[in-house]
Amino acid sequence: MSLANNWMGGYAPPSGFFDEFLDAEGQPRPHWQTLSSKLGSIDQDGWQRRERQLVRLIHDNGITYNVYRESETDPRPWNLDMLPLVLPQAEIDRLETALSQRAHLLNLVLQDVYGRQTMLQNGQIDPFLVFASPSFLRPCHGLLPARARHIQLYAADLTRSPDGNWWVLGDRVEAASGLGYAMENRMLMSRIFPKVLGDANALSLSPFIRQFCRNVESLAPSRTDSPNVAMLTPGPRNETYFEQSFLARNLGYTLAEGSDLTVHNNRLYMKTIAGVQPIDVLLRRVDSSWCDPLELRNESLLGIPGLVNAVRQGNLVVANALGSGFVESPAMLAFLPWFCRSFLGESLEIPSVATWWCGQPTEMKYVLENIDRLAIKPTFYGPGARSYFCPQLSSAEKQDLVARIKAQPELYCGQEIVSNATTPVYEDGRLQSRHFQLRVFLVPDGNGWSMLPGGLARHAEQKDDLIVSMQAGGESKDTWVLRDPLSKSSRKTSRGSEPPSIRRNANDLPSRTADNLFWLGRYVERAESQARLLRALCHLLVDQIGGESQLCALPFLEQIMPPGDDAKRLATEDQLDFPLAEAAVLDATYDLESSESFLSNLTHIERTAERVKERLSIDTWKRLQMMRDLARRERPQTNSLLEEDTILLLEASLDDLSSFIGNVAENMTRSQGWRFLQIGRLIERSLAICFLLDSAFQRHRQDDDLLSKLLDWADSSITYRRRYLNTLNPSRVLDLLCCDVSNPRSLAFQAETLRELLAALPHGNFGSRHPIDQIALRAYSRIGLMEPASLLAGGDKARRGKIGAFFEKTRSDIMKLSTALAQQYFAHTARSVESRPKTFIG
Amino acid sequence: MQTYRIQHRTTYEYRYPVTISHHAAHLKPLTSHEQTCQSFRLSMTPDSSDLVERRDYFGNTTHLFSIQRAHQTLEVESRSHVEVAAQAANLAEIATPCGEIRQAMADPSRTDLLDAKQFLYTTELTPTLPELQAFGQRFLSDEQPVGSALAAMLQAFREEFEFDPEATEISTPVLEVLEKRRGVCQDFAQLMIAALKSCGIAACYASGYILTNPPPGQERLIGADASHAWLSVHIPGHGWIDLDPTNNLVCSDQHIRVAYGRDYDDVSMLSGAVTGGGEQDIKVEVTVHPVEI
């Protein structure tokens, strides 16, 4: 093995730690040998190309980790190192055995605490650790049958000490995150190293995922072939929202927020556009205490009132069980060896990092005497509770901490600081060492547990950082477990694209999602129409500075003025005030203070899209990502439209918007979700047409300049000229933009398409003509019956009255339609199931 | 021994229609060695189709129900018939020194005290704080016999605190009650609990009723015509003793016990989560009639 021959030579991990790549003699460990020569043979161009590809994949897929920090309003892009953490299968097999015992034990602890409480009765646990724990949820006592499994997904944070042994830093069962990121890391690695990954014989993650799904589906309280599973998310602001939506999409479960769900007659239902749909199993990513404002934390807006009782009545299974976060307390680490003895008669197969609970006098004394080399952790996590890494504290901070421990010792635990092992990362064409931790996952499998042959490795940002934290800016790695040719286990290796199968019920569109898709459609269309208006204005103002024809900008300016501001102030009798108009256009484009500005609209698109991310295809999502970057543009310093920035921004936005719309048209399944998005667009476009034409035909003189600008705005100039050559005639223009069903930018086209889309929504099944259809029909007929020539005929006053009335009525119908849709489909509340038996008379 | 007929009506008026509401009620009086609930009826308008009765973690009866139909008014009414046989403990006879109680409660090997220990620790509404400890220590010093200490504490509530419904809200922290020296029964009960806990003595929150119209010649008690709150303190060897700091009383058969918990949040008589509704107006009417036998 000649490391020195390629770029991987020269890797020098710090001494005193275990390194994953090189052994104590500086030789690659056996399981690295083949892989390191493969990776070593990739030249620097190859690495750089992959690095760019990786950055693009992460950006395009919108993979993020949100950090709650005031200075950071943008989600942070995901960080993935290009080198995997590599482990031999034998190591994972050993860990699986050891961690299975631990998962089993934690489950027994939960059964006991939420059941007979023998640990308390026998004095094996200080009552403080149970009764004072905010994670011991009294309404969950006796909630599950005595032998029920509380944990369906167990995660452990591991670290490796200098002697090569693994230690558990913490157990995660409350709402264990990271599985989605681990899957997504593998997906990324399989894209940038398809061949290396295949040749390396890395074990596939899919069987584990399938096992997880099988378990989850088998939990359904009433036996059914296709139980309904939903994943409860705290929402897009949560730091791991990306992975929640990624997991939900890949497991084929619906991602639901608390407001999507409702409890009726002690059963959980999801509010969908087709009515309510029962939910059998709820995978939760919301902490237990926040899951039910009725019986748990009553200020919770994330939860579902009545959820606990639905479980209690046996109509729902929640995974992991409500209240399971109890075992996450750092103090548990100190007691697990005893629990293991008493519950299993065994000793712990994998040790926890040494932990002392200060609620015991001897332990407190030890912690205070050794505080300089310890970490101090809160006994219970909660608001204001944080961990301290004592070697980094100033002496004043340490004194303060000691005083607090002495005042309330039971609230603190001391924990040994483990010298985390190191692993190489790829940095600027070289290997650098980083300290890392590994999060692994286990799910029940028959009577035992099986472990994901992989995991989420996280490493520190800087070379000598001993603390590994995603919050503090750490990075992640994929974990490859290399198949041991001699192993008897039947694990499969990774091939091709992972992960797996998607099943989806077509009729499960949650009302909230329909609402968001509808608004996404509206915002996209609004942005498009705005960009067209603003672009038209830029041309008008810039091309014809000082010209009289600038007055035809007024109807357009009227469309972009903020509410309460009148475009009239921008012009005198026969002259437009250029600086004022220019400022109005710039404000309408860039002003983030106004929620109506163009850039604000792009932000609305981004925010709304974030909420329905799991419904959009990757390619569609990419278009939105590009708009994200545009939404960050700043107003030109010169404050002038003569600068090209603004027009370029508008052009670029129009490109991205139309490619988004094109993508939706090309790639989105004609599902109910797609319909809501389209309906939103049509409604918005109808409104835009009404407003502009109303303004242009009612209040202004329809000279050739204005008419041709209107045709440009509606992308209909060519059609018009083909039909009528160059003679511009108001009633012909009005006909083309209003009544011509073949023109996709005409009002009639919107009305007709709307009717078709509405007909496919579930309200049609309710029999008699629904208000939605009545309104749509009314608008459709009015537009169809309108005759441009007679509308424009007569004296000035009469004409204005007719035009005004026509557009006013049409607009009002469209608004009513929007409200009726909201009432029927988006009122996340009003729908309830009728509990009467299904009998039909006649 | 005293028998009571209790009628408790709560009316919610919402500004806008409520589409769905879920409620939890702790309204059914307890049955214990001190008291028997002979009959109980819970009704609501609009009616609920999913009423469930259960015993909560602390042994109280809880009712859970939802209203699945749009409504702007909700009326919840309970009627109960209760026989109370409780007798007032004689505090003067309880001479265990406070220090001894503290020690027993802090001893992890005393598993016989588990039931009391669950009422020993901080909750959001009854925190353990140095200021509260200082207040408690005025009465509960190590050598002090607990009976007379508690009597002095009750006396202090009568003398130093003023009943004032305007001074506090449901969310007013006990520390503020201690500073203002004003509040209602719930504030005084939670303040005394928090002070006892801060001094290492277990105490729990009691929710219930007292007689509306006292027998001729007796003073009308504060807290009538509404639900009432007091506390129960645990003394190893003696058990639980109910004390009413609002009325400077050791409870007897004038108090009707409905539920015990760590604080108000555990046992609030009626709570709910509603969708829609906007502002709400709540009216509570309670009448407690002694039944002549």
Side-chain angles (χ1 to χ4, degrees):
Chain A
M1 187 66 215
S2 50
L3 261 189
N5 289 348
N6 64 46
W7 65 274
M8 288 173 87
Y11 173 62
S15 60
F17 302 95
F18 185 93
D19 187 72
E20 294 296 328
F21 177 36
L22 299 184
D23 63 17
E25 275 72 50
Q27 291 304 310
R29 296 183 184 276
H31 62 277
W32 256 104
Q33 294 197 344
T34 325
L35 188 60
S36 65
S37 65
K38 284 243 160 62
L39 292 172
S41 66
I42 298 173
D43 65 8
Q44 285 311 302
D45 278 353
W47 282 96
Q48 280 159 17
R49 188 167 44 76
R50 287 178 171 85
E51 196 169 22
R52 285 193 301 270
Q53 191 191 355
L54 179 63
V55 168
R56 204 177 54 240
L57 280 169
I58 289 174
H59 179 268
D60 291 352
N61 288 288
I63 305 170
T64 54
Y65 180 87
N66 297 347
V67 181
Y68 292 115
R69 242 190 261 153
E70 284 182 25
S71 57
E72 278 185 59
T73 48
D74 288 354
R76 189 201 299 159
W78 184 244
N79 275 317
L80 173 64
D81 181 51
M82 291 206 289
L83 282 182
L85 173 71
V86 186
L87 297 170
Q89 184 179 350
E91 191 129 38
I92 284 294
D93 288 345
R94 273 197 303 276
L95 278 173
E96 181 178 69
T97 313
L99 288 166
S100 296
Q101 181 208 36
R102 198 175 173 99
H104 180 50
L105 175 62
L106 293 175
N107 197 55
L108 291 176
V109 170
L110 286 169
Q111 284 177 354
D112 189 69
V113 158
Y114 286 107
R116 297 167 55 211
Q117 301 191 332
T118 55
M119 292 190 310
L120 278 166
Q121 256 121 52
N122 303 337
Q124 287 167 308
I125 184 171
D126 191 296
F128 175 85
L129 292 175
V130 179
F131 293 144
S133 169
S135 307
F136 171 59
L137 305 179
R138 287 161 183 78
C140 299
H141 185 262
L143 193 58
L144 301 186
R147 310 284 302 271
R149 189 130 43 185
H150 290 244
I151 303 172
Q152 297 297 337
L153 177 64
Y154 164 63
D157 285 331
L158 305 181
T159 180
R160 201 204 279 263
S161 58
D163 59 7
N165 288 322
W166 292 98
W167 300 75
V168 177
L169 277 165
D171 302 289
R172 300 279 169 264
V173 294
E174 181 63 278
S177 64
L179 182 59
Y181 284 125
M183 290 164 70
E184 162 269 319
N185 278 354
R186 176 61 56 89
M187 181 272 286
L188 291 170
M189 291 298 272
S190 71
R191 297 281 291 275
I192 61 170
F193 289 116
K195 183 145 166 45
V196 181
L197 180 63
D199 292 348
N201 270 327
L203 295 175
S204 161
L205 308 184
S206 305
F208 177 90
I209 304 299
R210 281 196 294 273
Q211 177 65 33
F212 179 58
C213 289
R214 267 198 303 276
N215 292 344
V216 165
E217 284 154 31
S218 73
L219 295 172
S222 48
R223 286 274 156 206
T224 139
D225 285 343
S226 53
N228 290 322
V229 182
M231 186 186 285
L232 177 65
T233 168
R237 283 188 45 92
N238 186 264
E239 58 186 15
T240 62
Y241 184 73
F242 168 79
E243 82 147 1
Q244 295 162 23
S245 87
F246 182 89
L247 254 186
R249 213 174 348 165
N250 282 287
L251 303 179
Y253 303 143
T254 307
L255 191 66
E257 291 179 30
S259 59
D260 293 331
L261 300 165
T262 182
V263 171
H264 179 66
N265 279 341
N266 302 315
R267 274 213 73 160
L268 182 68
Y269 292 89
M270 182 161 64
K271 301 165 206 162
T272 75
I273 52 152
V276 294
Q277 184 189 65
I279 298 292
D280 305 297
V281 183
L282 188 67
L283 288 177
R284 71 182 167 84
R285 291 297 294 266
V286 170
D287 283 355
S288 301
S289 338
W290 298 94
C291 281
D292 181 353
L294 188 65
E295 290 200 61
L296 303 169
R297 288 193 81 95
N298 56 21
E299 72 270 37
S300 171
L301 296 174
L302 305 173
I304 307 124
L307 186 79
V308 175
N309 208 36
V311 176
R312 191 179 288 129
Q313 304 304 321
N315 296 327
L316 172 73
V317 171
V318 176
N320 288 338
L322 291 166
S324 42
F326 172 75
V327 292
E328 287 190 0
S329 158
M332 284 295 134
L333 298 177
F335 292 92
L336 273 190
W338 278 279
F339 297 162
C340 195
R341 271 274 142 240
S342 85
F343 281 117
L344 300 173
E346 298 168 0
S347 52
L348 266 184
E349 291 188 30
I350 182 166
S352 317
V353 171
T355 306
W356 297 269
W357 178 50
C358 297
Q360 300 153 292
T362 326
E363 278 75 1
M364 171 170 95
K365 189 159 165 282
Y366 179 86
V367 168
L368 291 179
E369 281 167 5
N370 294 279
I371 195 159
D372 289 336
R373 52 174 203 83
L374 296 179
I376 300 296
K377 297 197 161 175
T379 302
F380 307 127
Y381 290 105
R386 49 163 291 209
S387 302
Y388 301 87
F389 202 65
C390 296
Q392 291 185 336
L393 296 183
S394 70
S395 63
E397 287 168 326
K398 207 174 299 171
Q399 268 179 9
D400 177 57
L401 183 59
V402 167
R404 276 186 285 151
I405 295 174
K406 282 181 175 160
Q408 288 182 293
E410 64 279 3
L411 294 182
Y412 299 90
C413 294
Q415 193 174 68
E416 194 146 281
I417 294 166
V418 179
S419 312
N420 289 326
T422 54
T423 182
V425 301
Y426 175 87
E427 194 179 79
D428 303 329
R430 297 180 49 209
L431 290 186
Q432 295 281 2
S433 73
R434 290 288 187 279
H435 294 282
F436 78 98
Q437 292 171 3
L438 176 63
R439 180 168 289 189
V440 294
F441 303 90
L442 285 89
V443 294
D445 189 351
N447 289 322
W449 294 73
S450 63
M451 181 164 142
L452 178 77
L456 180 63
R458 293 173 295 170
H459 59 86
E461 205 174 2
Q462 303 294 327
K463 190 170 194 300
D464 298 315
D465 265 355
L466 285 167
I467 305 178
V468 178
S469 155
M470 226 57 205
Q471 291 276 353
E475 305 191 2
S476 79
K477 270 175 174 294
D478 189 16
T479 304
W480 293 7
V481 175
L482 304 191
R483 184 190 187 83
D484 175 355
L486 303 173
S487 165
K488 286 188 214 85
S489 89
S490 57
R491 294 180 186 273
K492 293 204 168 50
T493 53
S494 197
R495 293 270 164 214
S497 69
E498 295 196 52
S501 65
I502 297 179
R503 292 141 295 160
R504 165 143 278 145
N505 180 343
N507 220 358
D508 64 350
L509 185 69
S511 303
R512 181 185 46 86
T513 310
D515 191 359
N516 284 320
L517 285 168
F518 174 78
W519 278 99
L520 180 61
R522 287 196 66 167
Y523 288 134
V524 163
E525 190 59 37
R526 193 175 293 177
E528 208 245 16
S529 146
Q530 264 179 328
R532 289 175 161 279
L533 280 167
L534 292 166
R535 185 179 61 175
L537 279 164
C538 285
H539 287 311
L540 245 161
L541 296 177
V542 173
D543 295 351
Q544 307 174 16
I545 295 176
E548 197 186 322
S549 60
Q550 274 194 311
L551 276 182
C552 74
L554 276 176
F556 293 91
L557 283 167
E558 276 169 10
Q559 311 303 313
I560 63 156
M561 297 306 279
D565 197 354
D566 195 338
K568 282 205 184 77
R569 69 171 178 85
L570 306 179
T572 56
E573 191 74 2
D574 52 3
Q575 186 69 40
L576 196 67
D577 183 328
F578 180 77
L580 281 181
E582 183 181 42
V585 170
L586 286 167
D587 282 346
T589 311
Y590 295 102
D591 186 9
L592 286 172
E593 303 278 297
S594 153
S595 69
E596 310 278 324
S597 75
F598 177 65
L599 286 194
S600 292
N601 237 319
L602 292 186
T603 319
H604 296 326
I605 293 178
E606 183 186 330
R607 211 189 48 229
T608 317
E610 189 72 46
R611 301 185 146 267
V612 289
K613 191 169 172 180
E614 72 278 6
R615 298 274 163 179
L616 302 174
S617 76
I618 302 276
D619 285 329
T620 312
W621 181 249
K622 279 185 197 168
R623 306 297 150 206
L624 290 169
Q625 286 295 105
M626 292 177 180
M627 271 186 271
R628 253 178 76 84
D629 299 339
L630 292 175
R632 308 278 179 288
R633 293 283 177 87
E634 289 189 3
R635 193 181 184 120
Q637 303 252 315
T638 52
N639 256 327
S640 162
L641 281 182
L642 300 174
E643 206 79 30
E644 282 212 301
D645 297 20
T646 307
I647 194 94
L648 290 178
L649 164 71
L650 296 169
E651 294 288 1
S653 306
L654 281 169
D655 280 352
D656 285 344
L657 285 162
S658 62
S659 92
F660 169 80
I661 293 163
N663 241 293
V664 167
E666 288 291 316
N667 300 334
M668 202 167 166
T669 345
R670 269 31 178 183
S671 58
Q672 298 294 30
W674 171 83
R675 279 186 195 102
F676 279 98
L677 193 146
Q678 294 300 90
I679 289 169
R681 288 186 55 215
L682 292 165
I683 285 187
E684 194 67 30
R685 184 174 286 187
S686 310
L687 289 173
I689 299 171
C690 284
F691 277 111
L692 182 61
L693 294 186
D694 187 11
S695 171
F697 283 88
Q698 194 195 160
R699 287 195 285 280
H700 296 276
R701 199 161 51 84
Q702 295 93 48
D703 57 20
D704 284 5
D705 284 324
L706 177 58
L707 292 176
S708 81
K709 287 294 161 195
L710 284 176
L711 289 171
D712 282 348
W713 174 77
D715 223 348
S716 306
S717 308
I718 293 174
T719 317
Y720 187 90
R721 258 181 259 131
R722 208 177 46 241
R723 281 193 203 162
Y724 308 109
L725 297 173
N726 283 334
T727 346
L728 287 166
N729 169 305
S731 81
R732 283 177 185 166
V733 171
L734 191 59
D735 181 68
L736 182 59
L737 301 188
C738 240
C739 313
D740 188 336
V741 189
S742 66
N743 177 9
R745 289 199 176 262
S746 77
L747 203 48
F749 180 90
Q750 318 306 315
E752 177 159 304
T753 321
L754 261 176
R755 280 224 310 153
E756 285 164 14
L757 288 170
L758 293 171
L761 293 185
H763 67 261
N765 304 338
F766 300 155
S768 61
R769 183 170 282 148
H770 193 276
I772 291 179
D773 294 330
Q774 286 175 18
I775 302 167
L777 179 61
R778 199 161 64 216
Y780 175 79
S781 317
R782 179 176 312 106
I783 297 164
L785 294 170
M786 191 267 272
E787 283 179 38
S790 77
L791 201 66
L792 295 175
D796 227 24
K797 197 163 170 231
R799 203 188 61 210
R800 283 186 181 190
K802 279 187 287 178
I803 294 171
F806 170 75
F807 285 113
E808 169 60 36
K809 281 184 189 150
T810 310
R811 230 164 33 213
S812 140
D813 275 343
I814 291 164
M815 306 274 213
K816 278 186 199 146
L817 182 62
S818 181
T819 313
L821 280 167
Q823 276 167 358
Q824 174 69 38
Y825 293 112
F826 315 146
H828 305 166
T829 52
R831 313 193 51 74
S832 58
V833 247
E834 288 191 297
S835 49
R836 276 176 291 169
K838 271 190 189 163
T839 49
F840 297 98
I841 300 166
Chain B
M1 165 104 63
Q2 186 57 262
T3 305
Y4 299 96
R5 234 181 31 237
I6 303 149
Q7 187 177 353
H8 182 163
R9 187 192 298 141
T10 309
T11 314
Y12 295 87
E13 301 270 359
Y14 302 101
R15 177 127 184 236
Y16 306 108
V18 167
T19 44
I20 295 177
S21 69
H22 286 83
H23 302 269
H26 282 99
L27 284 166
K28 183 176 177 183
L30 284 164
T31 291
S32 67
H33 64 282
E34 298 183 305
Q35 164 181 306
T36 312
C37 177
Q38 291 168 330
S39 73
F40 176 79
R41 213 176 66 104
L42 180 68
S43 59
M44 61 258 1
T45 325
D47 205 3
S48 169
S49 62
D50 56 6
L51 179 72
V52 172
E53 181 179 304
R54 68 177 290 257
R55 269 164 77 84
D56 72 7
Y57 184 77
F58 302 102
N60 310 302
T61 302
T62 311
H63 288 93
L64 296 161
F65 61 91
S66 72
I67 311 289
Q68 301 275 345
R69 156 154 52 116
H71 59 279
Q72 242 169 306
T73 307
L74 169 66
E75 195 182 281
V76 180
E77 191 182 71
S78 63
R79 288 165 184 267
S80 35
H81 201 131
V82 188
E83 191 181 275
V84 187
Q87 288 180 357
N90 185 349
L91 288 184
E93 286 174 358
I94 306 172
T96 322
C98 293
E100 211 172 283
I101 300 176
R102 244 192 296 283
Q103 222 169 10
M105 295 311 295
D107 181 352
S109 69
R110 291 290 300 269
T111 50
D112 57 316
L113 295 176
L114 265 185
D115 280 348
K117 283 180 182 173
Q118 60 173 321
F119 300 104
L120 190 58
Y121 310 111
T122 286
T123 68
E124 267 172 55
L125 298 178
T126 58
T128 53
L129 295 169
E131 295 88 337
L132 296 164
Q133 190 188 17
F135 173 65
Q137 282 304 115
R138 268 175 60 193
F139 315 98
L140 305 163
S141 57
D142 279 353
E143 318 73 45
Q144 192 68 34
V146 70
S148 58
L150 291 170
M153 215 169 165
L154 288 177
Q155 186 68 27
F157 271 95
R158 154 86 9 137
E159 285 166 5
E160 299 168 23
F161 288 77
E162 199 169 327
F163 185 87
D164 181 357
E166 305 302 318
T168 57
E169 295 168 16
I170 278 192
S171 57
T172 306
V174 286
L175 204 54
E176 197 180 317
V177 176
L178 179 65
E179 280 156 13
K180 285 187 174 169
R181 308 253 154 175
R182 282 165 180 275
V184 296
C185 52
Q186 174 197 336
D187 299 315
F188 299 153
Q190 290 190 145
L191 172 57
M192 188 157 164
I193 292 166
L196 286 162
K197 282 182 184 177
S198 299
C199 295
I201 296 174
C204 72
Y205 182 92
S207 152
Y209 307 102
I210 43 180
L211 186 56
T212 313
N213 291 303
Q218 278 187 29
E219 198 186 340
R220 193 168 187 278
L221 294 178
I222 297 169
D225 293 326
S227 52
H228 191 48
W230 61 95
L231 69 136
S232 194
V233 56
H234 187 83
I235 300 170
H238 285 269
W240 293 97
I241 297 175
D242 283 25
L243 304 172
D244 182 349
T246 313
N247 291 300
N248 184 16
L249 272 180
V250 181
C251 304
S252 61
D253 58 4
Q254 282 176 292
H255 288 70
I256 300 128
R257 292 139 180 90
V258 173
Y260 290 105
R262 291 168 303 160
D263 57 24
Y264 170 80
D265 273 350
D266 278 339
V267 294
S268 65
M269 285 193 162
L270 204 51
S271 60
V274 303
T275 309
E279 279 170 49
Q280 48 179 279
D281 206 24
I282 307 175
K283 194 169 73 177
V284 180
E285 295 154 282
V286 175
T287 39
V288 179
H289 286 296
V291 179
E292 305 299 334
I293 306 170

